[in-house]
Amino acid sequence: MGYARTAVAPTVADWTARRTGTAGRWTPWELAMAKARTGRQVSVVLPARNEEATVGAIVESIVGNLVDRVPLVDDVVVVDSRSDDSTAAVAAAAGARVVGQDEMTRGLPRLEGKGDALWAGLAATDGDLIAFVDADLREFQPAFVTGLLGPLLTDESVSFVKGFYHRPLVRSSDVEADAGGRVTEIMARPLFNLFWPDLSGFVQPLAGEYAGRRDVLEQIPFVSGYGVETAMLIDLLDVCGLDSLAQVDLGERRHRHQSTEALGRMSAQILLTAWSRLYRKGWVISERPPGGLLTQFRRGEAEALSNLEREIVVSDVSVQERPPLGQHRRALATTAAAG
């Protein structure tokens, strides 16, 4: 077994020193004044699927603190991702503008997953700066939004900001302080360090809280499933370079934890997403991965297989992509002009 090194690559060390901040560095009023000087509009997008328990409090906090009290955010949009609970009604009652994922992608192939909801949110907004926030957060603080917007409103050289935080893993019997990022540590971080080492300085590469400039976000595709954050960082590195990316410490993030089985499916989608980017680099020879199915095992019950005493569960974990929104709009404009 090797021993841990304390030194990182000079490129990563330099980037981390210059491009890492903390949310408390900016107050809402300071950012509102910076926004007024630039004349830019700010949108906040929350992709939400069956999040009636948490989405209302998040929207109320953003609207109350950053729309009504301080004129920082211009538009709060919740993308209802085919919820079968009261997510849409709760979000609207709290003050959000609610749009349906299918409404924003009408006429396009139906895709599943978070990435498609994010693409729909980008299409539904007009803000020059867009902040994305997950809708399952508990104990949400407005600093989650101000921290992401801080670098974008005060430094023109920053194009995209990723949040990071402590992620406690809450069990019925105890709380483990930083054990919440299981997929990050087991799948995403090894991938980035191996193939995209310039991105290894990101503390939470899979964080669901990030913000960017519209002109940059419209240049990248959005992966349909849980690989969206992985694809986004890799593609942004290609589009605008490491020095245009930043990260901000948002404190602590509490949210609903997924089962180990669900985390396995998420990891598989991240791996398939990485495959397509490796193909672009010429590091794998086939554009399509060998398979898009994941076989998992559950403790057997009625359908247990003989000798295994387990049930086999097979999931389709293949991923698709929406094209860059800017490319999509240009295609629509060309079609309209030809007609």
Side-chain angles (χ1 to χ4, degrees):
M1 179 180 292
Y3 293 94
R5 293 173 53 192
T6 58
V8 297
T11 300
V12 174
D14 176 67
W15 175 82
T16 301
R18 292 183 300 103
R19 291 306 198 197
T20 301
T22 60
R25 180 176 174 183
W26 306 277
T27 69
W29 275 110
E30 288 171 339
L31 294 181
M33 289 187 287
K35 175 195 165 203
R37 288 193 295 270
T38 63
R40 291 191 171 92
Q41 297 289 295
V42 173
S43 300
V44 176
V45 173
L46 292 84
R49 180 179 177 87
N50 296 334
E51 302 294 358
E52 64 179 5
T54 50
V55 69
I58 298 172
V59 171
E60 286 178 357
S61 179
I62 297 171
V63 172
N65 291 283
L66 304 179
V67 177
D68 297 338
R69 188 172 304 161
V70 179
L72 177 59
V73 173
D74 301 286
D75 193 19
V76 180
V77 175
V78 170
V79 181
D80 182 22
S81 184
R82 305 171 188 145
S83 299
D84 53 22
D85 66 359
S86 300
T87 291
V90 170
R97 179 165 64 91
V98 179
V99 300
Q101 178 176 336
D102 293 329
E103 169 193 349
M104 298 309 305
T105 58
R106 185 174 293 117
L108 300 174
R110 178 185 171 99
L111 300 184
E112 302 291 337
K114 178 184 178 183
D116 193 46
L118 294 171
W119 190 93
L122 183 62
T125 57
D126 296 318
D128 305 291
L129 306 179
I130 299 92
F132 296 98
V133 178
D134 279 348
D136 65 342
L137 302 183
R138 299 188 177 97
E139 302 176 23
F140 176 84
Q141 298 296 323
F144 270 50
V145 174
T146 56
L148 296 172
L149 294 174
L152 295 169
L153 285 169
T154 59
D155 188 341
E156 290 293 324
S157 67
V158 174
S159 297
F160 180 83
V161 181
K162 187 76 151 177
F164 70 93
Y165 24 65
H166 294 291
R167 295 183 65 185
L169 179 60
V170 181
R171 303 185 180 91
S172 58
S173 58
D174 66 346
V175 176
E176 193 171 346
D178 281 305
R182 291 168 287 173
V183 175
T184 292
E185 300 303 330
I186 294 171
M187 171 58 72
R189 198 179 308 287
L191 270 176
F192 281 121
N193 277 267
L194 183 60
F195 296 113
W196 294 277
D198 281 355
L199 296 174
S200 63
F202 279 94
V203 179
Q204 294 283 352
L206 302 185
E209 285 65 52
Y210 38 84
R213 301 188 189 278
R214 174 174 294 279
D215 60 349
V216 171
L217 293 172
E218 289 198 359
Q219 296 182 55
I220 60 173
F222 279 60
V223 171
S224 60
Y226 283 107
V228 61
E229 280 87 13
T230 297
M232 192 175 288
L233 277 185
I234 296 169
D235 294 346
L236 286 169
L237 181 66
D238 291 339
V239 167
C240 55
L242 180 63
D243 200 51
S244 293
L245 312 180
Q247 63 180 347
V248 170
D249 188 346
L250 302 179
E252 184 174 273
R253 185 188 202 267
R254 290 180 177 265
H255 64 119
R256 183 183 66 252
H257 295 296
Q258 304 246 27
S259 68
T260 301
E261 188 175 294
L263 297 181
R265 293 190 292 270
M266 292 169 63
S267 297
Q269 289 198 317
I270 290 168
L271 185 58
L272 292 177
T273 300
W275 180 283
S276 65
R277 273 70 191 162
L278 292 171
Y279 174 77
R280 293 177 194 173
K281 285 180 169 287
W283 290 351
V284 296
I285 60 174
S286 172
E287 182 175 8
R288 297 182 63 83
L293 299 179
L294 176 67
T295 299
Q296 296 173 299
F297 297 87
R298 293 176 185 164
R299 186 180 291 271
E301 294 180 359
E303 299 181 15
L305 298 180
S306 59
N307 300 324
L308 281 178
E309 296 185 355
R310 285 167 175 79
E311 176 188 358
I312 289 183
V313 180
V314 179
S315 303
D316 183 355
V317 293
S318 57
V319 295
Q320 297 172 282
E321 297 184 10
R322 291 284 183 213
L325 185 60
Q327 175 184 317
H328 172 70
R329 284 177 169 159
R330 288 192 295 273
L332 289 179
T334 300
T335 301

